[in-house]
Amino acid sequence: MKLRMISVAGAAILALASTGLQAETKLTIAMVNNGDMIRMQRLSEAFEKANPEIKLDWVVLEENVLRQRVTTDIATKGGQFDVLSIGTYEAPIWAKRGWLVTLDGLPADYDVEDILPPIRQGLSFKGKMYAVPFYGESSFTMYRTDLFKKAGLDMPEKPTWDFIKDAARKLTDKSNEVYGICLRGKPGWGENMAFLTAMANSYGARWFDMNWKPQFDGEAWKATITDYVELMNEVGPPDASAKGYKENLALFRAGKCAIWIDATAAGQFVTNADSDVANSVGFALAPDKGLGKSANWLWAWALAIPESSHNKDAAKKFVAWATSKHYLELVATKDGWPNVPPGTRRSLYENRAYLDAAPFARTTLASILAADPNHPTVEPVPYTGIQFVAIPEFQSIGTAVGNRFAAALSGTIPIDEALGNAQWVTGKVIERARFLQGHSAL
Amino acid sequence: MTNKAFDPGQSIADMDDEQLPIPPHKLHGWGRFAGLYAAEHVAATEFVIGATFVALGAGIWDILIGLLIGNTLAILSFWLITAPIAVDTRLSLYTYLNRIAGDSMSRLYNVANVLIFGVISAAMITVSATAVRALFDIPPQVHPYPTSVLFVIVAIAVAVIVVLVAVFGFNAVTEFASICAPWLMVMFIVGGMVLLPALSEFITGYTTLTSFSDFVQIAGATVWTGLNAEGKPGIGMLEVAGFAWAANTFSHFGLIDMALLRYAKKKSYGLATSTGMMFGHYVAWISAGLMGAATAAMTKSSIMVVDPGEVAFYALGASGFVIVVVAGWTTANANLYRAGLAAQAVFPDVPRTKVTLLVGLAVVVASAFPFIYQSMLPLLTYAGLILVPVGGIVFAEHHIFPRIGFTRYWARFKGLQYSVPAIGTWAVSLVFGFGLGALNIIPFYYLFLPTWFVSIAAYIVLAKKYGAAESYPEGEQAERVFQERVAEFHAQQAATESHEPVNDASILSKVIKAIYIIIGLAVPFVLAWRVLFHSPDIYVYYVNLERFYDVSIWCTVIYFVFAYWDLKRSKALQRAAVRGASEPAV
């Protein structure tokens, strides 16, 4: 009897000890500081409640900083992060380098087939997904319906650049701090160069010809940058070269931009209750120049797991939760349908409640489906990607060229000099890249 | 390095200066040694050794901490082993060894020196030749033997110049080498600085490093990866520390640097070697590794293949060509000169020029074989192993014999022609050291440590057997008298010789100095600083880098012109002061 009691007590102690000692897995998540991601951080309490053995540790960073931190960590196998916010640019390149974990074997109710094909394709390498989309986006035109009405203007469903330029000039009222147009000016390959590359595509420009010769010395790029700089200097907000997505979003919500061409993901933020202009925002496709290509891009912020993570299983559980249909429903329940992360799942655009609540939804879907990363330009190119060139060197040259164009926008250097600089540096980097790859095509 | 037999009875004034202790009025302060060691240990060898650590697969922390440990041990060795004997005796090792062990041992020792300094000289000539190779687009020499006739011709041409200069114009090269040190230091630092953003961009797409941890991450992923050239786990911290410690064993445990430290006012000046160890063997090795790895990565080759010429040219542009030629040439010359002196000591009847030419001939042939410079680190380690027993013998005779009742200089007092204990100890120690190496019981860079202890023990045992424990009152008395006569002689010298350095306060000299310090050293450093810390993207990086290349070569030219002018003026002033002091007062 005594022995049995000792055994029972011992077993109880062991059980208690094992419960207490059960290893808590800490997931470190590197996350970009945009609205959708911040919301996810807030709602992740639900995940932790359902998975008490997993503790989430968030590293929230501004986009440019995040990219550098995350790239350095993954390239050097630093192992600081278990989950990364990456995009459609990084996913296939990093997957090719063996830096990411394949995200197959997700739960059946995850429904991979529901993810919009262009987004799924953008996050895959050799047919396997290496990141799952948190939200997807293209770009479109957001405009103030009240100001258009007042000026007697009608926004076409598919506006041209000529119309946009003309309307922006007419709508400008600097005395009341209303600027005709707000466009990205802050340097960065994911900031001003995302916009400018998409705009240049619609002007018939391209980064490289089929022989990988840079094309900044062509007329199409000159026309693009000239129009951009002139328009922004004339009717854009002050200090435009310091304004990126977040700054322009704030301006538009405060009623200071008549037209804003930017990410479709902004739709929910300009129409929600916090926006001063929530009830007077219209949406149209991104402009074109009549050459067959619009200035819309394709992007997805996605969650990926680095090979260097020591908590791959827990990380997989988290990324599946954060990009699932259930998460969309959770957001709808907590914050309403318009705030659901857009652009990833076909089922969302078949949801009547969402379509009714989100006035930007149809234009968002149309923009995403119209984006073709495999044929991004008017003339043929040897690369894929719309607002980026899907080669490892783009991160570097995109940032450098973005800085030169920002300098042209701020008037620090003339446009011709900026284009000359862009041509020179791109040529140098590509020459080096081709040398390193045995003089073959990249 | 004379091999003349020591006779305490001969006239002091007739004796070679080298046979006498350094007089008190010719001793130098701390700063002199700090400068001397900083200059001595930033040479062409650093390019090779820095790259070797990368090729051997050291990890980033192995390098950062291992080098710190190894170099600290080297400093302690200089401080606690070399400096005390040097300051006590005020003699060079050659002279002291001759007094302890006589002619035969000195001659053997000099044979070893001919071999070692000849090999170092050949290696440095090959390093210089790699710069010329890069300039003329001759294929890299990746095999132990030469694979290009053109490279052989280049190596021989460079070697012939080095030999002729060592024979006929060594003093001019020595003067020139003395002004190279500050420039070499700056060039080693800036070479690593300007390539770091490129290395970062190559890996991450960003040219900026936001913190030291970024540096550690990038350098750890690209330079000191922990994997060797075959992709297998490389050497660790213990090995790195061992290499760093062993790289200079012939100088500290081997006591060769008694030649320098005999001028030190205090034993603690042994710590001044820290400038050479912590700059040359820490910063310069790290910088050289960084340059080598960056060059290998960006030229799509292996660290095993890129040679110093290619690395320096890639990192520093035209100045890189100058650095390798100058650093290689000056190091080669100094070592060939030493080898020549050692050879002359072996064959005292043959003129120095002739014997140096003969050694030079062997060096010319050896310099065509890249194997020698490619194996620099192990060669230095084994060279140390060969010479360390001699250091052990001297250590025992100097420190241990008086403590255990043995007589210092006993072999001389006894009139031994051949010091069997010394020669025997050296032989036994070499058999022990290399035998231990062959058995592979401990890593070869630590072999010097047990070998040193064995040499001490063997020498004590053998010396006792041959009469070291006996008393030699006559000899000891003669030695005391000799020391008193030397002290008197030095006192007379001090009274008559002008030994106060002349302070050149002329405006022209100050302007010359300002020009070569600011334009020759500060400007390249500032430009490199801009490349490293003010290149937010690849465009600005390339612009800054090209500016650095374009300007730094002119800074180099200006540096050498003005530094040499300053040197000439300073020497002329000193000569004038000596002439003035020797003229009788009217």
Side-chain angles (χ1 to χ4, degrees), chain B residues 216-237:
Chain B
V216 169
Q217 274 189 282
I218 288 164
T222 56
V223 184
W224 299 282
T225 57
L227 297 174
N228 65 20
E230 285 88 42
K232 293 175 183 159
I235 59 172
M237 196 177 291

Side-chain angles (χ1 to χ4, degrees), chain B residues 152-218:
Chain B
V152 174
I153 293 169
V154 166
I156 288 175
V158 175
V160 166
I161 296 169
V162 168
V163 171
L164 291 177
V165 170
V167 173
F168 300 110
F170 179 71
N171 287 340
V173 175
T174 310
E175 279 182 3
F176 181 68
S178 71
I179 61 170
C180 290
W183 175 79
L184 280 173
M185 281 183 214
V186 170
M187 285 296 133
F188 264 103
I189 296 176
V190 300
M193 284 168 78
V194 300
L195 284 188
L196 203 49
L199 202 58
S200 170
E201 189 271 340
F202 185 70
I203 296 301
T204 68
Y206 295 94
T207 50
T208 50
L209 281 89
T210 53
S211 62
F212 180 70
S213 107
D214 274 9
F215 166 77
V216 169
Q217 274 189 282
I218 288 164

